[in-house]
Amino acid sequence: MNAIPEHEAKAWIGGFGVAVPRGATARTPAELEAAAGGLTPPLVVKAYGPGLVHKSDAGAVRLNVGSPGAAAAEMLGALAAQGIEPAGFLVEEQAEPGVEMIVGAVRDPVFGPVLLAGLGGVWTEALHDTALRLLPVTEADARAMLDELRGKALLDGLRGRPPVDKDALVKLLLAVGSAVESLGEGFGEFELNPVICGPSGVIAVDARRIDADAPAAVSAAPPATDFGPLFAPRGVAVVGASAKKPNFGNMFLGFYKAAGFAGRLVAVHPTAAEIDGVPCVPSLAEAGVDYALVAVPAAQCPDVVRQARGVPFVQVMSGGFREMGNPDLEEELLAAAAEAGVRLLGPNCMGVYSPAGGQTFIGGAPGRPGRISVVSQSGGLAGEVIKVGERRGLAFAKVATVGNSADVTPAELLRYLAGDPGTSAIGLYLEDPRDGRGLFEALRETAKPVVALVGGRSGQGRKAAASHTGGMVGDARIWPALAAQTGVALVRGQDDLIGVLDLFDLHGARPAPGTPEVLVIGPSGGASVLAADVFDGAGLALAPLPDAARDALRGLGLGAGSSLANPLEIPVGPRGNPDLVRHAVTAILAERPFPDVIAHVNVQSFFTFGDSAEPLLAYARSVGALQAELPGTRITLVVRNAECAPPGVEDAVRAVAREAGVPVYRGMEAAAVAVAAGKRHASHISGSVDGTA
């Protein structure tokens, strides 16, 4: 890395409109005294040169200086005692005190240039109060960064202090972003710390720029690939099935047979004529298929892939590559795919699932075709999402597992699915996306709702250069920044991934806005109080009911013994009117619109005080009718304590609700995550249309 002297870094960033102190440089203390003649005290003196990246730690900064030459001479002796010989000295006018900020950027190895803003000076290390955004940034991004800071009250004025000039700070953020982008692939790190902010402007009093030793190599983007044959192949070949002892290859042959694959199905075996009733060919060169699944030991995979010329897609299920400390073997595999002219999925993954296209990597008959698609770096987790999702009524269009993503990346598949007319909602499970910048750009460009579950966020840090800025960029920080800029919903578990996909599938196209208001309605005051806590924690607003709405509710016989508030407590049970919630919601929305309505019910009460599922099903049908009457409102149903229902009842309720376009959740927490994700998507799309995102 190549450190640029501070005065040169300031001259460079000053060219982008960033204010810096007036100053001068000199090689010796005597020359510095003369150079400072035109500057107004008090002054600051700094030494610069090799070994002085962190000047304060080396004692290479003096404040409130009267004689720059004397200060430099004293500093020279102190540095000599440390074995440091400065290349020169910088003298500057000392800035007025104010709120100190840090503004910087670093090149993340996966996502590229990342902008950071936070409290500066010593607070940078003490509080770690920072916000990130991937470059490029908009003015809206810059303002959102400042709003995310825990210490933002300092910018607004605290204890009688005047507010700082936020507009000037926003302009500085945008200027730093533009400056960093101008460096292209040669950029390494850049930091302004501190930036002193006051009511009449901001000034960067320290600057540090480190360029890459050599511009990073830019890998050529792969040509646009038609992934249609991957999800609907005319033929499938399985490599690795045994004629003697059943193994993974045999298992996959069984999966395709059980799924009723209608195309050409072959096994690749050097001597056998058939395996498990499936005809064999001696190598992939004779397979004549669109897709090959390779399940042989890792060391044999490159040779197998070299035989795949003419096969558009090869999926290597085998593990034992980069994820097991064998990057050279993975590079050999990648080279073999390039030599054969095939696109490689994996290694270390399971396969592809598409009920409409005949693709499968799980046992049993495929589910009904749907419009939900998933890209997963874990084959096992993808299988769980499919099975659990289908159990809850979800239907999938295309699911691809990509493992190590040596060739085909999640970003590439995301771009394809974003333009796929058969996909309406997209789920991602990611660990190392490989092409983080491509993923960011693909997410920014898609208008479809996307939910992402990211593994390993808490245990990994990015290997950035040792700096204040670089040390604050890591997995756990990048993903929320990416979500803020792209509208993707981040979730923390598989259940929420499935739950958000369910809401996106049913509500993603509804015209309801992304504003935070929700109406919660159902039985039990305690449950309503807990619901208020949950939805408030998810950033959603339980707006009060207007007087006219409360009057209308009293006309329905409500309000005796309970307050008419939001959440609204309303009797729902085996002996109640199943249409009461529908009437109440209709009355409220006639006076005040709510983009989201969460109707909850205590399933246990229906079978403690009743002995039939029909009242509960009647309630579900009424909620479905409400959704039909309010196509511009997102209705969500929460079936609390569903495990108290007899077997099959919960499934029946889900089926009734889903047929009406209403997603169903077992708890308020899951519903809150999904509703918040739906609002985020609606808000992001609205902002993109309005030009504000």
Side-chain angles (χ1 to χ4, degrees):
M1 304 292 280
N2 179 30
I4 306 300
E6 179 182 342
H7 60 282
E8 293 182 16
K10 283 180 173 174
W12 170 73
I13 196 63
F16 288 86
V18 175
V20 297
R22 287 204 309 149
T25 61
R27 294 186 58 81
T28 68
E31 293 172 351
L32 190 70
E33 187 74 32
L39 302 179
T40 302
L43 302 176
V44 177
V45 172
K46 305 177 184 180
Y48 64 85
L52 290 172
V53 174
H54 299 291
K55 293 183 287 294
S56 296
D57 294 345
V61 180
R62 296 288 190 276
L63 303 177
N64 297 306
V65 169
S67 171
E74 178 185 340
M75 191 183 298
L76 192 63
L79 292 173
Q82 303 175 57
I84 299 174
E85 181 179 355
F89 298 91
L90 168 65
V91 58
E92 293 179 324
E93 294 177 344
Q94 185 167 313
E96 294 287 335
V99 177
E100 294 188 358
M101 294 283 292
I102 179 174
V103 174
V106 69
R107 179 175 292 282
D108 182 87
V110 174
F111 289 96
V114 178
L115 183 68
L116 173 145
L119 293 180
V122 296
W123 301 115
T124 299
E125 294 177 340
L127 297 182
H128 297 278
D129 187 9
T130 57
L132 305 181
R133 289 295 185 274
L134 283 71
L135 291 175
V137 296
T138 65
E139 180 179 340
D141 291 328
R143 294 190 183 279
M145 291 173 74
L146 300 181
D147 286 341
E148 288 175 14
L149 299 176
R150 298 192 305 276
K152 64 181 179 180
L154 293 173
L155 303 178
D156 296 327
L158 192 65
R159 291 196 167 186
R161 295 182 179 180
V164 307
D165 186 348
K166 273 191 178 181
D167 290 340
L169 185 52
V170 167
K171 289 179 181 178
L172 183 141
L173 285 167
L174 296 174
V176 170
S178 297
V180 166
E181 288 187 280
S182 75
L183 295 175
E185 298 300 319
F187 166 69
E189 298 180 37
F190 180 67
E191 179 182 294
L192 300 175
N193 185 24
V195 173
I196 298 182
C197 306
S200 58
V202 300
I203 185 169
V205 300
D206 193 24
R208 189 161 59 86
R209 173 179 147 190
I210 301 178
D211 291 347
D213 291 329
V218 181
S219 57
T225 298
D226 176 13
F227 287 100
L230 173 67
F231 295 105
R234 292 170 297 177
V236 171
V238 175
V239 185
S242 172
K244 299 178 180 179
K245 184 178 180 180
N247 58 21
F248 275 109
N250 298 76
M251 180 179 69
F252 280 96
L253 286 176
F255 288 167
Y256 279 104
K257 291 170 64 179
F261 181 66
R264 172 177 166 83
L265 178 64
V266 297
V268 176
H269 193 281
T271 59
E274 60 88 23
I275 294 177
D276 299 338
V278 176
C280 293
V281 294
S283 76
L284 277 178
E286 290 81 36
V289 296
D290 290 329
Y291 173 80
L293 182 65
V294 178
V296 300
Q300 300 176 22
C301 288
D303 287 338
V304 171
V305 172
R306 287 189 186 95
Q307 303 170 17
R309 188 175 301 277
V311 179
F313 300 99
V314 175
Q315 182 124 21
V316 174
M317 189 198 87
S318 314
F321 294 88
R322 180 169 53 92
E323 83 285 357
M324 295 297 290
N326 297 313
D328 292 345
L329 184 58
E330 187 164 309
E331 288 300 319
E332 183 184 355
L333 180 67
L334 190 58
E339 181 181 330
V342 305
R343 297 306 309 275
L344 174 73
L345 282 86
N348 185 35
C349 53
M350 292 294 288
V352 173
Y353 182 75
S354 176
Q359 277 282 45
T360 188
F361 64 90
I362 52 181
R368 60 185 175 86
R371 297 177 59 82
I372 298 172
S373 292
V374 176
V375 179
S376 174
Q377 290 194 272
S378 166
L381 186 137
E384 293 176 33
V385 168
I386 293 167
K387 284 297 190 181
V388 174
E390 289 182 342
R391 180 71 175 76
R392 296 182 187 177
L394 280 67
F396 293 88
K398 301 171 176 69
V399 179
T401 68
V402 292
N404 296 4
S405 304
D407 178 24
V408 174
T409 64
E412 197 175 353
L413 286 166
L414 176 61
R415 286 187 186 278
Y416 169 78
L417 294 172
D420 172 35
T423 295
S424 63
I426 301 170
L428 303 173
Y429 173 72
L430 305 169
E431 292 173 1
D432 174 8
R434 298 301 290 268
D435 180 13
R437 175 58 47 168
L439 179 69
F440 171 56
E441 292 170 352
L443 285 168
R444 291 179 70 194
E445 293 167 8
T446 182
K448 293 179 180 178
V450 181
V451 54
L453 172 60
V454 180
R457 279 196 282 167
S458 62
Q460 297 183 23
R462 291 296 178 193
K463 293 182 179 179
S467 72
H468 295 313
T469 307
M472 293 191 174
V473 176
D475 289 333
R477 313 299 303 280
I478 291 284
W479 291 105
L482 179 144
Q485 289 174 273
T486 64
V488 63
L490 283 183
V491 294
R492 295 192 172 275
Q494 174 187 301
D495 193 65
D496 284 337
L497 176 66
I498 296 169
V500 173
L501 283 172
D502 195 5
L503 185 135
F504 280 167
D505 184 36
L506 297 178
H507 286 335
R510 295 195 189 279
T515 51
E517 299 85 5
V518 295
L519 171 64
V520 178
I521 182 169
S524 173
S528 295
V529 171
L530 293 175
D533 290 339
V534 168
F535 284 96
D536 180 73
L540 305 175
L542 291 136
L545 305 182
D547 291 341
R550 290 198 292 269
D551 291 341
L553 292 173
R554 292 188 185 97
L556 294 174
L558 298 173
S562 63
S563 63
L564 296 177
N566 183 14
L568 178 62
E569 183 181 353
I570 188 170
V572 177
R575 294 175 176 82
N577 177 3
D579 290 323
L580 185 57
V581 166
R582 180 164 64 92
H583 296 323
V585 171
T586 301
I588 293 170
L589 266 60
E591 304 298 336
R592 189 198 191 286
F594 281 89
D596 286 273
V597 175
I598 296 88
H600 65 95
V601 61
N602 178 16
V603 173
Q604 167 264 324
S605 69
F606 280 82
F607 299 97
T608 298
F609 304 106
D611 55 8
S612 169
E614 178 51 34
L616 180 60
L617 293 172
Y619 172 76
R621 287 191 291 270
S622 183
V623 171
L626 178 65
Q627 182 65 86
E629 294 166 3
L630 301 170
T633 302
R634 293 179 291 260
I635 309 294
T636 298
L637 176 61
V638 177
V639 287
R640 297 185 289 108
N641 307 313
E643 60 269 30
C644 294
V649 171
E650 182 183 0
D651 291 342
V653 170
R654 287 182 179 276
V656 167
R658 189 170 184 85
E659 180 67 24
V662 176
V664 177
Y665 301 93
R666 270 193 164 193
M668 296 293 190
E669 293 80 4
V673 169
V675 169
K679 287 181 176 293
R680 170 187 286 271
H681 172 68
S683 177
H684 179 73
I685 292 300
S686 175
S688 297
V689 171
D690 295 341
T692 59

